[in-house]
Amino acid sequence: MRMVAVLAVAALLTVSACGSGDERRPAAPDTVEVFTWWAEGGEKAGLDALIDRFGQDCAGQRFENGAVAGGAGVNAKQELTGRMTRKDPPDTFQAHAGAELLDYIDAGQVQDLTSAYDSWGLRQAFPTGLIDDLTVNGKIYSVPANVHRANVVWANPAVLKRAGVSGVPRDLPAFLADLATLKAAGVEAPLALGRDWTQLMVLEAVLISDLGAQRFAGLFTGATPWSGADVAAAIADFGRLVAYGNADRDALDWPQAERLLIDGKAGYQVMGDWEAADLTAKGFTGYSWFTFPGNGATFQWLADSFTLATGAPNPDGTRCWLRTVASPEGQRAFNAAKGSIPARTDVSAAGLSLYQQSAMADWKSATQVPSCAHGSACSQGWQSAVNQALTAWSAARDDTALQAALVTAASRFVR
Ligand code: GAL
């Protein structure tokens, strides 16, 4: 009771101090609040490496950690929306390059960084395609920290060996056969699964296998219909894979599903390559990996980028943070710990992990397709609609209803 009263008085004081309903934090001229969803494991290790560089590059500035835990930003994005509405933005926030960033640009929530690109020489530092995904009407709105790959399968080799599974499955039928072998050998959940967006990653990987890279990419531009028989077949394949997963999938975030892999209760997990760093951070270094079966030479990409928020309390300090993110040293330190590869093209692979070296080579040679679960292909509205459809499917297992919901989502959100 007493606590409630104290809080209520504090809240009143805040409101009256800041004026009618504007709850903006008092300006802290030397503090940069960095808002992410990187709160533990390999994600936190990546952020920590950037904080360290920021301390060296931006003397006199203080880092404030605004991280909100929850894979793929499920909680952070909601919190950010609330803060934007209350006109209480952090100085900088994490946003995926592509459609997701366009949401913030359209809403006027991020500032133009074009002049910083020019004065820091960044136009030449990043691949042209990536710059295009950060640009609207000739203006560039964020600084990419990395490139992640989504369509990867991570494996626990000891589990596979015990069950007599060897080699890399070349296609979906071979993968399903290996999952069946694991199941028959008594592995509890051959394929570790988590909540909605992690299931979307599996569905997207299956769609790449079944439709091919070009038709898959067309699903997000309107060139490929979601109503086709090929999408229906992919949903059926997706259901076959999910049947080899853990029953409590909808209650798990990705690190909890990953725990099944580490503990030998699962053989495989489909996850982006933040998993490489996270497994390492958790002391599980004996993992193996392969591109999702049937995806061929397709690299499903996403990129984390940092913005200068509209109304940022400390724009100068934030520019220094962004310069650190963009620098070769910042990109090397961050990516070495985060599992992704540098977005800059002039950072060498030396000293990065074996996985990262292979990803750097693939990024140059493979066909690139975007990710809906991680915002390079889909706006936030589209992501939410698809995630809701998957949660409903996971409970009812109604393939027809799932496809209908995917068709509706595309018709509402395709640009
Ligand atoms: C992605 C993000 C990655 C990683 C992952 C899991 O959306 O781009 O950096 O953090 O979520 O949380």
Side-chain angles (χ1 to χ4, degrees):
M1 216 27 214
R2 193 183 144 81
M3 183 71 170
V4 171
V6 171
L7 285 177
V9 170
L12 275 176
L13 285 176
T14 311
V15 171
S16 60
C18 300
S20 52
D22 183 348
E23 294 169 30
R24 186 177 297 192
R25 287 167 303 133
D30 54 357
T31 298
V32 179
E33 187 193 352
V34 178
F35 186 95
T36 69
W37 54 87
W38 297 333
E40 63 124 10
E43 297 182 305
K44 181 171 182 300
L47 182 60
D48 285 346
L50 267 182
I51 299 170
D52 186 53
R53 288 293 333 170
F54 175 68
Q56 296 174 48
D57 295 347
C58 305
Q61 294 290 333
R62 211 171 58 83
F63 176 89
E64 185 181 333
N65 197 343
V68 175
V74 279
N75 305 320
K77 287 180 191 169
Q78 278 185 21
E79 169 79 15
L80 185 62
T81 305
R83 289 188 56 176
M84 300 289 203
T85 310
R86 297 195 303 273
K87 296 196 168 45
D88 174 32
D91 290 292
T92 177
F93 60 89
Q94 172 190 357
H96 288 126
E100 198 179 291
L101 182 69
L102 288 186
D103 287 340
Y104 298 116
I105 300 173
D106 288 350
Q109 291 165 334
V110 290
Q111 298 191 43
D112 176 11
L113 295 170
T114 316
S115 60
Y117 266 71
D118 292 334
S119 51
W120 302 342
L122 297 186
R123 283 185 193 273
Q124 298 74 34
F126 299 117
T128 320
L130 188 52
I131 296 233
D132 288 348
D133 285 305
L134 307 169
T135 305
V136 167
N137 293 334
K139 295 179 178 166
I140 312 177
Y141 287 89
S142 74
V143 172
N146 64 357
V147 172
H148 267 304
R149 186 176 196 171
N151 57 333
V152 188
V153 183
W154 306 91
N156 182 328
V159 173
L160 305 191
K161 193 165 176 215
R162 266 200 305 277
V165 170
S166 61
V168 171
R170 293 185 150 269
D171 52 21
L172 219 40
F175 191 31
L176 286 163
D178 286 348
L179 288 163
T181 305
L182 291 182
K183 187 91 196 166
V187 178
E188 219 170 287
L191 184 62
L193 293 170
R195 57 177 296 183
D196 47 13
W197 66 268
T198 79
Q199 294 170 38
L200 176 56
M201 292 187 72
V202 179
L203 176 61
E204 289 189 65
V206 173
L207 284 163
I208 296 171
S209 290
D210 286 359
L211 275 65
Q214 201 187 343
R215 281 182 59 72
F216 169 81
L219 289 168
F220 304 103
T221 62
T224 306
W226 283 89
S227 53
D230 48 2
V231 173
I235 290 173
D237 281 337
F238 165 66
R240 286 181 193 106
L241 284 172
V242 171
Y244 289 106
N246 40 300
D248 60 353
R249 58 184 176 269
D250 296 326
L252 305 190
D253 200 348
W254 73 274
Q256 296 161 311
E258 181 194 60
R259 180 46 61 191
L260 298 175
L261 189 80
I262 296 173
D263 290 347
K265 293 180 180 157
Y268 304 105
Q269 184 179 13
V270 178
M271 192 44 58
D273 50 15
W274 44 90
E275 179 126 340
D278 203 58
L279 289 169
T280 307
K282 290 172 182 165
F284 186 77
T285 48
Y287 60 85
S288 61
W289 74 86
F290 49 87
T291 304
F292 187 85
N295 279 196
T298 304
F299 189 118
Q300 191 184 27
W301 73 275
L302 57 119
D304 296 303
S305 71
F306 282 93
T307 59
L308 172 58
T310 303
N314 179 7
D316 290 342
T318 307
R319 282 200 186 84
C320 197
W321 164 263
L322 295 174
R323 193 165 186 174
T324 292
V325 169
S327 68
E329 298 76 17
Q331 300 244 321
R332 163 169 286 283
F334 172 67
N335 286 289
K338 183 69 165 66
S340 37
I341 60 175
R344 287 186 74 108
T345 52
D346 58 357
V347 178
S348 89
L352 296 180
S353 73
L354 275 182
Y355 167 75
Q356 287 166 310
Q357 299 194 11
S358 76
M360 279 177 93
D362 288 354
W363 173 238
K364 286 194 194 119
S365 62
T367 305
Q368 297 168 10
V369 296
S371 150
C372 181
H374 303 285
S376 41
C378 291
S379 63
Q380 297 193 50
W382 199 341
Q383 278 166 32
S384 304
V386 172
N387 284 338
Q388 275 170 30
L390 278 166
T391 303
W393 176 88
S394 196
R397 301 296 296 266
D398 182 340
D399 288 9
T400 312
L402 174 59
Q403 189 169 9
L406 294 173
V407 170
T408 306
S411 69
R412 282 178 62 204
F413 292 108
V414 80
R415 292 184 197 233

